[in-house]
Amino acid sequence: MSTQPKQVRGPVRIVLVDDHRMFRTGVRSELAEEAGAAIEIVGEAPDVEAAVKVIRETRPDVVLLDVHLPGGTGKGGADVINGCYGVETEAGAPVRFLALSVSDAAEDVIAVIRAGARGYVTKTITARDLGTAVRRVADGDAVFSPRLAGFVLDAFGAAAGEIAEVDEELDRLSAREREVMRLIARGYQYKEVAKELFISVKTVETHVSSVLRKLQLSSRHELTAWAMGRRLV
């Protein structure tokens, strides 16, 4: 039985969010040259409020997001992600977020991943690697710059105060709850989990509620962050 993320068909539709217009122009140009028609930029925004508006209007596959942005409550990229909770693409998949920032500070990485971003790459990334990262995130993968990968996941778990042994935490879950947890953490919608595991949507909802309660989490975003921090997805 396959548990691979659902593939995005056609061009990957993205929104660029960065408060520097020249940087957005550069990314647009580089991606157009590198990826051609495989990536379509459907919107841009320079601040939190504009970003939330354009993401809700265009419903892109992926949002390329700086972590430091004007507006909102001062949490930058995390504010954008929180403001777009529940927004789905036309295909019914969740809109996914990839942080693209000059910062590699632990607090910046932790904040945006905790909010629900699927990955974090720095602005030193090449156009080719950025195009690959965008496509991987669109397909449901978690992506980090090579230099950050180990640090991000280790630092995230430590900073979140989640040092307990993974096995002990997983032992709280039944085998079926673990299956549901991993699929939800990969970005599957309830109906997709139901189809994958041959169970009803109602049963999926019951399992998710049980998982969140047992792990003392309050949302799917927190569940995704929890699983990523333990290298379970």
Side-chain angles (χ1 to χ4, degrees), residues 82-231:
N82 291 332
C84 296
Y85 181 77
V87 178
E88 296 184 341
T89 68
E90 293 181 359
V95 172
R96 296 181 171 110
F97 295 84
L98 173 61
L100 175 62
S101 177
V102 69
S103 172
D104 60 2
E107 58 269 25
D108 291 333
V109 178
I110 292 163
V112 75
I113 297 300
R114 177 178 289 281
R118 291 295 297 176
Y120 195 113
V121 295
T122 61
K123 289 182 177 179
T124 58
I125 193 170
T126 65
R128 175 175 297 180
D129 287 345
L130 181 59
T132 298
V134 166
R135 288 186 285 269
R136 287 184 59 195
V137 167
D139 287 341
D141 291 339
V143 178
F144 296 99
S145 291
R147 192 174 70 82
L148 294 179
F151 155 75
V152 168
L153 296 177
D154 289 341
F156 181 75
E162 298 160 346
I163 310 298
E165 290 294 328
V166 174
D167 288 345
E168 180 181 337
E169 294 182 307
L170 285 178
D171 281 345
R172 303 175 194 169
L173 309 181
S174 68
R176 180 47 60 95
E177 286 171 345
R178 295 182 195 184
E179 289 182 302
V180 171
M181 175 271 292
R182 286 188 170 93
L183 292 176
I184 290 294
R186 288 174 180 167
Y188 279 56
Q189 297 301 294
Y190 287 172
K191 60 185 178 182
E192 294 173 322
V193 175
K195 182 178 180 181
E196 186 72 25
L197 299 180
F198 300 99
I199 57 179
S200 70
V201 173
K202 180 69 174 177
T203 300
V204 174
E205 293 173 348
T206 299
H207 284 315
V208 171
S209 295
S210 178
V211 169
L212 293 177
R213 184 183 69 255
K214 289 180 179 180
L215 298 180
Q216 299 183 350
L217 303 173
S218 61
S219 70
R220 289 179 56 174
H221 283 322
E222 288 189 4
L223 177 60
T224 297
W226 181 90
M228 289 176 65
R230 288 153 179 77
R231 298 179 175 88

